Amino acid sequence: MTDTSATADAHRHDTLEAVFFGGVYGAVLASSMVAALTRYGHTDQAGRRYDAAWLLVTALASALAHGYAHYVAERRPQRRRDLLHSLADEWPLVAAVLPTVALLAAAGWGRLPPNGVEYPAFALNMALLFALGLVTSRRLRRSWTKCALVGLGDALLGLVVVVANALIK
């Protein structure tokens, strides 16, 4: 193996890891925010538009904080460009919340009923978690059985939020 292919494999692994990490983090964040905002917010159209905006702001703030923390934690000389790269590497987290933002916004604009939209949001995020686990495992050439188990394990993270939401209510 040449240095170039080793570097390409390491970059592919880092990118795959970043997509998986950010996607899982974003999907769990989206479910948690929907549960919290539904419990303490308003479930009318205006409330759902508010929820969509807050979910997007929270995802962006989380991505910025996470990227900045990576930048600060590096123990080598850095340039400003490195900070921008650290921040840009957090795109999977923001991308993972966008389907839920769209669902909440659709409820806020009257395209979906605003009351009860949290249940499709939970299902959507559990499906996203399952897909992230399955696809990521498959890209690592694991067996379909192991991939399905990883996907189910990831989906269980979403289920934990749903169960917690039910218990807290």
Side-chain angles (χ1 to χ4, degrees):
M1 184 178 331
T2 66
D3 289 340
T4 305
S5 65
T7 303
D9 284 346
H11 178 68
R12 183 183 67 81
H13 178 71
D14 290 345
T15 301
L16 186 62
E17 185 178 299
V19 169
F20 180 71
F21 176 82
V24 168
Y25 188 91
V28 172
L29 174 72
S31 289
S32 299
M33 287 288 297
V34 167
L37 291 168
T38 297
R39 173 70 175 122
Y40 297 107
H42 302 284
T43 57
D44 58 359
Q45 285 184 330
R48 291 308 181 180
R49 287 190 303 271
Y50 175 87
D51 294 350
W54 266 111
L55 176 55
L56 187 58
V57 166
T58 301
L60 290 169
S62 296
L64 287 172
H66 195 255
Y68 181 71
H70 274 290
Y71 173 77
V72 170
E74 290 289 321
R75 301 204 184 249
R76 60 179 175 81
Q78 296 174 326
R79 299 174 299 237
R80 285 188 193 126
R81 190 176 74 200
D82 294 333
L83 174 60
L84 294 176
H85 285 287
S86 290
L87 297 175
D89 286 345
E90 298 302 318
W91 71 264
L93 188 157
V94 176
V97 304
L98 292 179
T100 304
V101 168
L103 198 62
L104 292 170
W109 292 322
R111 305 243 188 254
L112 294 171
N115 194 15
V117 76
E118 65 271 16
Y119 301 110
F122 292 149
L124 175 69
N125 286 307
M126 286 174 50
L128 178 60
L129 287 163
F130 177 81
L132 280 166
L134 184 78
V135 169
T136 302
S137 294
R138 210 47 210 146
R139 293 282 312 259
L140 296 172
R141 294 177 171 65
R142 294 188 175 137
S143 72
W144 280 105
T145 303
K146 285 183 181 177
C147 293
L149 289 172
V150 170
L152 287 172
D154 289 350
L156 282 174
L157 292 171
L159 186 60
V160 166
V161 174
V162 172
V163 170
N165 181 52
L167 293 174
I168 290 171
K169 279 186 176 181

